[in-house]
Amino acid sequence: IFQDPMVTLNPVLTIGQQMVETLMAHRKLSKAEAEQIAVVKLREVYIPSPEERLAQYPHELSGGMRQRIIIAMALLLDPELIIADEPTTALDVTIQADIMELLLELCQSNKVGLILITHDLGVVSQMTERTLVMYAGKIIEAGRTREIINDPQHPYTQGLINALPQQTKPGMRLKQIPGNMPSLTAIPAGCPFSPRCEYVRDHCRTTRPEPVQYAHVEVACHEVNRLHRERTEEVKA
């Protein structure tokens, strides 16, 4: 699992120390052997002069280079699965695209599964095959990414997509979901999204919806049938 490189990398240890210690803690390797593997992994993520980078500290490297090093560290022990938590945080948009393309390329070439945790729907739409939308710690919609992005069923998912800048005309105020996320210690008794949902009914406030298969997704919403019918009628009109 890896996150923002400023959180993941230890600022008082060199890149080499962090990579070598990881390898030696999990495998019976000498320091020299571990350093050789570290250099190979840095080359795989296109780090220039990898031998020199081993002696450097995180603050001496750019944000994009630090993120490449995190990817190299994630691949050190040949995992079957990588969990990437907001891997493009604080990176320039162009660098974000490069990092995500690199991560996907390496996962495919090494046959590694990838779970991406992010709020960036653009990254989700370009990088993933399947999406799980969560609200207040619960999965409220799940299905193939393309189908969820193109035809979301849950009001929260619809709100997220409608809030994207490209969904609003220039000069107009961005759409937003009213209200605030509930505290995890004070989640409403019924549907956790009910205080913010424009389609809420009485039973939404008292009974928690269970995920049901609807059309192309699984969705946890009492009113999914009614909402889908209303949207269909609007399109016909």
Side-chain angles (χ1 to χ4, degrees), residues 110-157:
N110 289 279
K111 297 183 179 179
V112 177
L114 174 65
I115 294 177
L116 181 63
I117 303 171
T118 182
H119 291 86
D120 191 329
L121 290 178
V123 171
V124 169
S125 65
Q126 295 297 319
M127 292 290 298
T128 65
E129 296 178 358
R130 181 174 171 79
T131 296
L132 278 67
V133 182
M134 300 188 69
Y135 186 84
K138 299 292 183 180
I139 297 172
I140 51 93
E141 188 163 359
R144 294 184 63 83
T145 298
R146 181 177 299 179
E147 293 167 340
I148 286 182
I149 295 295
N150 291 336
D151 189 22
Q153 299 300 315
H154 196 282
Y156 176 61
T157 313

Side-chain angles (χ1 to χ4, degrees), residues 6 84 92 167:
M6 293 306 292
D92 176 84
Q167 299 289 82

Side-chain angles (χ1 to χ4, degrees), residues 56-234:
Q56 291 184 303
Y57 289 88
H59 71 270
E60 298 180 89
L61 306 172
S62 68
M65 195 169 289
R66 286 195 295 265
Q67 195 60 286
R68 288 173 184 269
I69 288 170
I70 292 299
I71 295 174
M73 292 179 69
L75 294 169
L76 273 179
L77 300 173
D78 301 318
E80 295 182 358
L81 175 68
I82 289 178
I83 303 175
D85 188 354
E86 298 289 4
T88 58
T89 299
L91 294 178
D92 176 84
V93 175
T94 304
I95 301 299
Q96 285 183 13
D98 290 342
I99 292 298
M100 294 311 300
E101 287 177 9
L102 172 63
L103 180 58
L104 188 58
E105 173 192 326
L106 290 172
C107 285
Q108 291 174 339
S109 61
N110 289 279
K111 297 183 179 179
V112 177
L114 174 65
I115 294 177
L116 181 63
I117 303 171
T118 182
H119 291 86
D120 191 329
L121 290 178
V123 171
V124 169
S125 65
Q126 295 297 319
M127 292 290 298
T128 65
E129 296 178 358
R130 181 174 171 79
T131 296
L132 278 67
V133 182
M134 300 188 69
Y135 186 84
K138 299 292 183 180
I139 297 172
I140 51 93
E141 188 163 359
R144 294 184 63 83
T145 298
R146 181 177 299 179
E147 293 167 340
I148 286 182
I149 295 295
N150 291 336
D151 189 22
Q153 299 300 315
H154 196 282
Y156 176 61
T157 313
Q158 294 169 14
L160 290 178
I161 293 175
N162 288 335
L164 293 172
Q166 55 265 41
Q167 299 289 82
T168 306
K169 295 180 180 179
M172 294 183 64
R173 186 180 181 86
L174 291 176
K175 296 178 182 178
Q176 62 183 33
I177 301 174
N180 298 302
M181 179 77 71
S183 166
L184 294 184
T185 59
I187 297 177
C191 174
F193 188 61
S194 60
R196 307 176 68 186
C197 183
E198 60 181 306
Y199 307 106
V200 64
R201 296 286 180 89
D202 288 342
H203 62 139
C204 300
R205 298 187 176 95
T206 58
T207 306
R208 177 157 297 184
E210 295 296 328
V212 295
Q213 186 71 36
Y214 187 84
H216 46 267
V217 299
E218 285 188 3
V219 58
C221 176
H222 292 303
E223 297 298 308
V224 64
N225 284 294
R226 176 173 66 89
L227 299 183
H228 184 78
R229 184 172 61 253
E230 289 178 359
R231 290 204 310 277
T232 302
E233 290 173 354
E234 288 177 3

